[in-house]
Amino acid sequence: MGGRPATGQVLKPGKGQRSFALRVWAYGKREYITLGRPEDGWTLRQAERELAVVLRDIDLGVWKPSRPEPARAENDPLFHEFASEWFAAKQPELAPNTARSYRNDLTKHLLPFFAEHTLSQITISEVDRYRQEKVHEAARLTAAAEEGKTRTVVVVDRRGRSYQRSERPLSNRSINMHIDVLSQILALADDHGHIPSNPARGKRRRLKVTKARPVYLDSAEHIAVMLEAAGELDRDPKSRTKGRRAAIALLILGGPRASSAGALVGRDQDLANGRIEIGRDKTEAGVREIDMLPLLREILTEHKATNATGPDDPILTTRDGNARDRHNLRQRVVAPVAAKAEELLADRGGQPLPHGITPHKLRHTFASVLFAIGKDPTYVMHQLGHTDPAFTLRVYAHMMRRGPEEREALKALVEGHDWTLGEEQAEESAEQR
């Protein structure tokens, strides 16, 4: 037989599908064959055997669909067809990180559930069913983790490298982000007249997200010990990677998002004038110029002196000389530095670090530092690349509860002066925290 060879796959029950089914390519078109439900006795092995029989008969030219494909309105495409066209058109408008996020939301979450739905079949009840399935899946993963039964999944990074990590439950915020992508797709379907209205629109389709108190380092002691810990790890002859002190200083005292920090190259830092150009961020407001604080300028100058950086070479590199991405910064820089800082604080009887230090929490720290040295909220908002002042003002309100001695210590530290608190002041600061 000429033309495209017969291919197919078994579709298992779950994620919006109740029965075993086959999807095959036969005689130049795709065919969908429903087999049966597990409760009727169907198993994966039986479905695979049935697929082999169907593919053999297609190759012999004797296979015929047991029933014609259900009629579908000309103006009612399948979700996976419409969503694929939407993403192909949308991708050139998106920043690389946003495009990767959208692709992940589609391929790993929305398409497994909605792929075989026509657009008209995606109703409000179906969107709610998707949301509830994700909530139940997150609850199952959380319960499994508490019982020590966490599963591992294989993840492929943007360079094509694969690694294993524990399967993590989705947060309400992540599920809402999936529905936001779905809503964008269905809004276009509504505009084109495929559906009468967008069923994913509106707050009722979203889960409640509790706004947690911002986590950041709000004391000179904690910032100093993080920089000290990073320096010790850099000097450790057993360490397989260097430059952690520069990375930590950049995150705390410059405030870029982790992905933006990893994307910085030599031409982005103007050490002579004390500026950093952020040009590869994920929001329009994120394209900005950061004023270097004196301590950051000093540390980046030292880093450049020991790491020859050309105009287009990454500033923060792995041991192989590649740019650090956000995953590398979290796993290979921030996590080990925070662990080392905790050791140093424990040895000295210091206040432990806040729980949950990540690259993004260090970005929050940058806001508290700027308030400590007297910058106004508008300046802080622009340095962070925010468009909404709400978060900036929450940090401001919290920072203003700090005593003047603690704010003076932070100011002295970032300006490269002696920041040490007296014993009485240190006790007062610990009580305030």
Side-chain angles (χ1 to χ4, degrees), residues 39-313:
E39 52 263 40
D40 297 328
W42 277 88
T43 65
L44 177 59
R45 180 170 294 183
Q46 285 177 304
E48 290 172 341
R49 284 200 296 262
E50 184 67 20
L51 175 62
V53 171
V54 170
L55 294 180
R56 181 202 63 194
D57 289 349
I58 293 171
D59 285 336
L60 293 173
V62 299
W63 182 82
K64 293 181 180 180
S66 58
R67 57 183 175 83
E69 189 178 64
R72 180 154 53 90
E74 185 177 345
N75 198 37
D76 192 17
L78 291 170
F79 176 77
H80 82 86
E81 296 170 348
F82 190 83
S84 298
E85 292 175 2
W86 171 85
F87 182 73
K90 187 78 172 176
Q91 187 173 6
E93 306 171 9
L94 303 174
N97 283 340
T98 305
R100 280 191 290 272
S101 176
Y102 280 18
R103 183 188 296 276
N104 181 75
D105 291 349
L106 277 167
T107 58
K108 294 185 179 180
H109 301 283
L110 294 173
L111 284 175
F113 189 95
F114 292 109
E116 298 303 321
H117 287 62
T118 63
L119 293 180
S120 65
Q121 290 173 334
I122 303 178
T123 60
I124 287 176
S125 62
E126 280 297 276
V127 175
D128 288 348
R129 194 164 68 86
Y130 171 81
R131 183 190 63 212
Q132 288 306 311
E133 182 166 308
K134 289 298 178 183
V135 169
H136 293 154
E137 180 183 318
R140 288 195 299 270
L141 288 173
T142 300
E146 290 173 352
E147 295 173 4
K149 298 178 181 178
T150 303
R151 295 179 298 181
T152 59
V153 293
V154 176
V155 178
V156 180
D157 66 18
R158 63 183 179 183
R159 296 192 181 94
R161 299 173 301 189
S162 61
Y163 62 93
Q164 288 190 336
R165 66 164 173 78
S166 298
E167 190 173 10
R168 296 190 289 263
L170 291 172
S171 66
N172 285 4
R173 180 174 179 272
S174 294
I175 296 171
N176 286 348
M177 289 172 69
H178 299 171
I179 299 175
D180 288 341
V181 173
L182 177 64
S183 183
Q184 288 188 56
I185 297 169
L186 296 180
L188 183 63
D190 183 11
D191 290 343
H192 288 188
H194 295 302
I195 52 178
S197 61
N198 180 356
R201 181 176 54 208
K203 292 183 179 180
R204 292 185 181 180
R205 307 283 74 79
R206 272 67 173 173
L207 295 164
K208 184 177 181 180
V209 177
T210 302
K211 291 183 179 180
R213 174 185 175 275
V215 174
Y216 50 89
L217 309 179
D218 58 357
S219 72
E221 178 189 25
H222 282 168
I223 294 174
V225 80
M226 284 287 287
L227 292 171
E228 181 185 352
E232 287 197 16
L233 291 177
D234 282 345
R235 292 189 296 273
D236 185 348
K238 297 179 182 179
S239 176
R240 299 195 300 172
T241 184
K242 306 296 181 184
R244 288 190 175 104
R245 187 166 183 261
I248 292 294
L250 182 60
L251 292 169
I252 293 177
L253 304 176
R257 294 178 173 89
S259 56
S260 300
L264 290 172
V265 296
R267 68 175 72 252
D268 294 327
Q269 64 176 0
D270 181 357
L271 294 170
N273 295 300
R275 292 191 293 264
I276 301 174
E277 185 79 20
I278 300 292
R280 285 173 281 279
D281 220 328
K282 64 180 183 180
T283 66
E284 186 175 340
V287 181
R288 64 200 186 279
E289 212 174 60
I290 296 173
D291 298 327
M292 287 189 196
L293 294 167
L295 181 58
L296 175 60
R297 188 175 181 180
E298 175 187 327
I299 291 173
L300 289 182
T301 300
E302 293 173 359
H303 180 69
K304 184 176 182 180
T306 56
N307 297 269
T309 304
D312 297 308
D313 295 330

